[in-house]
Amino acid sequence: MLAFAIATLFVFAGIAAAVVVVDCLVKARAAYATLMREGEVMRAGLVLQAAARDMALRPSSRPITARRRPASLRPAMVQACAAA
């Protein structure tokens, strides 16, 4: 009974692995077709327009200019001295 359960587990694991490989092959084929189509368009002398989300330099929630620290948080100037 234990041997049958182990064999069944290996069969299901093999089937799952085969399904994953087939899924990856289908996605890779679609990506390859897209790249070839874009290559043909570029060789024809046309340029594809990038999506606006791909062109964003930074998220809009970040401040645009740098802010200075308040004077109370700046490090104090300390005299440097060397040990003799």
Side-chain angles (χ1 to χ4, degrees):
M1 186 68 176
L2 182 61
F4 178 72
I6 292 172
T8 305
L9 178 67
F10 276 105
V11 168
F12 284 131
I15 291 171
V19 168
V20 168
V21 168
V22 169
D23 181 53
C24 288
L25 288 174
V26 169
K27 289 179 181 178
R29 176 180 273 178
Y32 181 75
T34 301
L35 287 174
M36 291 298 108
R37 189 169 43 251
E38 289 177 1
E40 291 172 1
V41 169
M42 292 176 80
R43 278 191 295 279
L46 303 173
V47 178
L48 297 175
Q49 182 177 1
R53 64 179 170 82
D54 294 336
M55 297 300 294
L57 297 177
R58 64 176 72 124
S60 60
S61 63
R62 298 175 91 187
I64 295 174
T65 58
R67 296 183 185 154
R68 293 184 55 91
R69 287 186 186 178
S72 61
L73 296 179
R74 289 188 194 142
M77 296 296 291
V78 179
Q79 284 284 22
C81 59

